[in-house]
Amino acid sequence: MTLRRIESDSEQHITEKSEPGGWSHSTSLRWRLSLLSATLVAIAVGIITVAAYWTVSSFLTASVDRDLEQKADALLSRAAEPDFYAHVDHELEGLKVFNTGLRVAFAPPHWDFVVGDSIALPGSIVLENADSGTQMMNTSTERILVKKDESGAAVILAKDVTETHRLISTLGILLLTIGGVGVLVSILLGFFIANAGLRPLVRLQNAVDEIARTDDLRGIPVVGNDELARLTVSFNAMLKALRESRQRQSQFVADAGHELKTPLTSMRTNIELLMMSTRPDMPAISEQDRKDLERDVLAQMTEMSTLIGDLVDLAREESREVSEQIQLEHVLDTALGRVASRRLGVQIKIVESIPWTINGDEFSLTRALVNVLDNAIKWSPEKGIVRVALRPLSDGFVRITVEDSGPGISPEDRELVFERFYRAVSSRSMPGSGLGLSIVYQVVQRHFGNLEVSDSDDGGTKIIIDLPGRPGGSDFET
């Protein structure tokens, strides 16, 4: 397991080196979360900064414009009075006294010159037009308003906005500074939050690394009830399945080695005796002994072949995952056809059979029923009867019973016959591997059924198999 992890880490390292633009692969998740949060904060701060700058700048500019327009309206209203033109210079100077940084020019109706300050206009549409109107213009240092009333009089006001521009610039710098500090603080807070949030993940990673290093498949302690806790629960379930699979594999290998060792040792001994009998310096054996040795070798080879076949079937059942709608009565007929000729001195009688649909694996169910029928035939006496029935147990279950007339199974052995390689004392003189009923039990369990052993009516063995399904048609739904 450790070697596999090292290879996986190497492959990941190679992948990271070979992929272009692998910054996200080489940067830790903690830093990526911190930088992601900082990026989001930077975007939010940037939007707020631009919005604040634009709002304040627009407000200050609008305030200057309103002030200029109010003064222009006041001056034009004063120009409508008869005595205004007699003291126009004094009126303009008085307006400038109370408004520092303001320049004023006044163009009386139908005059070709203006009174007051000389103000250079970038281009005034209002003055060139005969109609009344208002126009705002900008220079590098001033905000200029030109307003003309219906009489033709025009007022030109130029306000020095250098201080306003400086205030807006200072505001922009201040907002940028605050935004930068906010981004830096967000990085630190993001790193702290990511570190705190990822601490359970780091703890899980350390636990996984410890499992990979020590090959100890014990469960990891579950802390809390969040997503990482649920991930730990799922990981523990995976560890449990892996641990059970490893135990089954170890037990399977140990049992298979033990069971194969006995016939292999006997066969080797008999073959060595046959080989020794052909050597000229060894005493010859009788023809009958030779035939007995040859018969024993063939029997042991058959026993090993049967055992290996059962082992293969058992291993196949552990990994087989096939599900389809099948007719159980057809499966039973197929199994009966396979065992019918194995012992002609035993009669197989079908007591009852009904149409039944089940969702499962036809090959596995056939193999299981063949094993059950084969055991019943093997243990029945000469001219015995094996009785088979397929009856409804309820609306959702069917019962298969196989009864023989043999010696039966003692009550103390009934709970053990489904274990691998188990053979009762009374059956050890008979050929077999002790795997047949183990395969049957595994198949029935995989089909969500139940398997029992009891006595038949005539003292033999009765195998009871209950399976889910539905009677009749093939429209069964899981």
Side-chain angles (χ1 to χ4, degrees), residues 231-285:
L231 175 62
T232 305
V233 171
S234 300
F235 190 81
N236 286 340
M238 182 187 68
L239 286 178
K240 181 181 178 182
L242 181 60
R243 186 169 58 250
E244 293 175 352
S245 176
R246 178 179 292 182
Q247 291 173 352
R248 289 195 302 268
Q249 181 183 12
S250 299
Q251 185 65 35
F252 181 81
V253 172
D255 292 342
H258 174 74
E259 294 297 323
L260 287 171
K261 184 178 181 180
T262 301
L264 185 61
T265 302
S266 300
M267 186 169 61
R268 177 180 178 179
T269 301
N270 290 333
I271 292 175
E272 287 178 348
L273 289 174
L274 286 173
M275 293 174 62
M276 290 173 61
S277 66
T278 60
R279 293 171 57 181
D281 57 339
M282 297 298 293
I285 62 175

Side-chain angles (χ1 to χ4, degrees), residues 129 224 240 271 306 320 330 340 347 350 361 363 366 374 387 427 434:
N129 224 337
K240 181 181 178 182
I271 292 175
T306 302
R320 192 174 180 88
H330 295 164
Q347 179 185 357
I350 302 177
D361 180 6
F363 176 85
T366 303
D374 191 48
R387 299 170 297 280
S427 66

Side-chain angles (χ1 to χ4, degrees), residues 161-230:
V161 291
T162 304
E163 191 63 28
T164 303
H165 289 168
R166 184 181 297 111
L167 178 61
I168 294 174
S169 300
T170 303
L171 176 64
I173 295 173
L174 181 61
L175 289 174
L176 288 176
T177 303
I178 294 174
V181 172
V183 171
L184 292 177
V185 172
S186 68
I187 293 176
L188 296 177
L189 289 177
F191 187 81
F192 176 77
I193 294 172
N195 188 50
L198 294 177
R199 190 173 293 117
L201 185 60
V202 173
R203 190 164 51 243
L204 177 61
Q205 178 188 353
N206 293 335
V208 172
D209 291 340
E210 182 69 15
I211 291 174
R213 186 180 64 83
T214 62
D215 205 20
D216 185 2
L217 300 181
R218 288 182 298 178
I220 301 172
V222 179
V223 180
N225 193 28
D226 54 5
E227 289 78 3
L228 287 175
R230 290 193 289 272

Side-chain angles (χ1 to χ4, degrees), residues 89-350:
D89 291 333
H90 179 72
E91 293 284 348
L92 298 182
E93 287 298 328
L95 182 62
K96 291 168 60 178
V97 168
F98 295 101
N99 296 275
T100 305
L102 180 68
R103 296 195 299 154
V104 184
F106 181 78
H110 312 297
W111 287 24
D112 295 332
F113 60 91
V114 296
V115 181
D117 297 320
S118 176
I119 302 176
L121 300 178
S124 175
I125 301 175
V126 173
L127 291 179
E128 297 172 357
N129 224 337
D131 298 330
S132 61
T134 303
Q135 183 180 3
M136 290 290 185
M137 293 173 286
N138 287 316
T139 64
S140 59
T141 58
E142 291 181 317
R143 181 75 169 170
I144 301 174
L145 178 141
V146 179
K147 188 162 188 176
K148 189 175 184 181
D149 63 6
E150 296 177 354
S151 66
V155 176
I156 304 168
L157 301 177
K159 175 71 174 178
D160 186 2
V161 291
T162 304
E163 191 63 28
T164 303
H165 289 168
R166 184 181 297 111
L167 178 61
I168 294 174
S169 300
T170 303
L171 176 64
I173 295 173
L174 181 61
L175 289 174
L176 288 176
T177 303
I178 294 174
V181 172
V183 171
L184 292 177
V185 172
S186 68
I187 293 176
L188 296 177
L189 289 177
F191 187 81
F192 176 77
I193 294 172
N195 188 50
L198 294 177
R199 190 173 293 117
L201 185 60
V202 173
R203 190 164 51 243
L204 177 61
Q205 178 188 353
N206 293 335
V208 172
D209 291 340
E210 182 69 15
I211 291 174
R213 186 180 64 83
T214 62
D215 205 20
D216 185 2
L217 300 181
R218 288 182 298 178
I220 301 172
V222 179
V223 180
N225 193 28
D226 54 5
E227 289 78 3
L228 287 175
R230 290 193 289 272
L231 175 62
T232 305
V233 171
S234 300
F235 190 81
N236 286 340
M238 182 187 68
L239 286 178
K240 181 181 178 182
L242 181 60
R243 186 169 58 250
E244 293 175 352
S245 176
R246 178 179 292 182
Q247 291 173 352
R248 289 195 302 268
Q249 181 183 12
S250 299
Q251 185 65 35
F252 181 81
V253 172
D255 292 342
H258 174 74
E259 294 297 323
L260 287 171
K261 184 178 181 180
T262 301
L264 185 61
T265 302
S266 300
M267 186 169 61
R268 177 180 178 179
T269 301
N270 290 333
I271 292 175
E272 287 178 348
L273 289 174
L274 286 173
M275 293 174 62
M276 290 173 61
S277 66
T278 60
R279 293 171 57 181
D281 57 339
M282 297 298 293
I285 62 175
S286 65
E287 186 65 24
Q288 183 61 41
D289 290 339
R290 180 186 295 275
K291 289 181 179 179
D292 290 341
L293 288 173
E294 291 176 352
R295 184 173 60 254
D296 288 344
V297 170
L298 291 176
Q300 289 155 3
M301 290 177 63
T302 301
E303 183 180 356
M304 286 191 62
S305 298
T306 302
L307 177 58
I308 292 173
D310 288 341
L311 289 172
V312 171
D313 288 339
L314 191 62
R316 182 187 295 117
E317 287 304 322
E318 290 183 347
S319 60
R320 192 174 180 88
E321 290 292 341
V322 180
S323 183
E324 57 184 350
Q325 291 187 11
I326 55 177
Q327 297 298 314
L328 190 57
E329 71 276 10
H330 295 164
V331 175
L332 181 59
D333 291 340
T334 302
L336 290 169
R338 291 186 183 180
V339 301
S341 60
R342 294 189 179 182
R343 191 176 174 191
L344 299 178
V346 177
Q347 179 185 357
I348 300 177
K349 182 180 179 180
I350 302 177

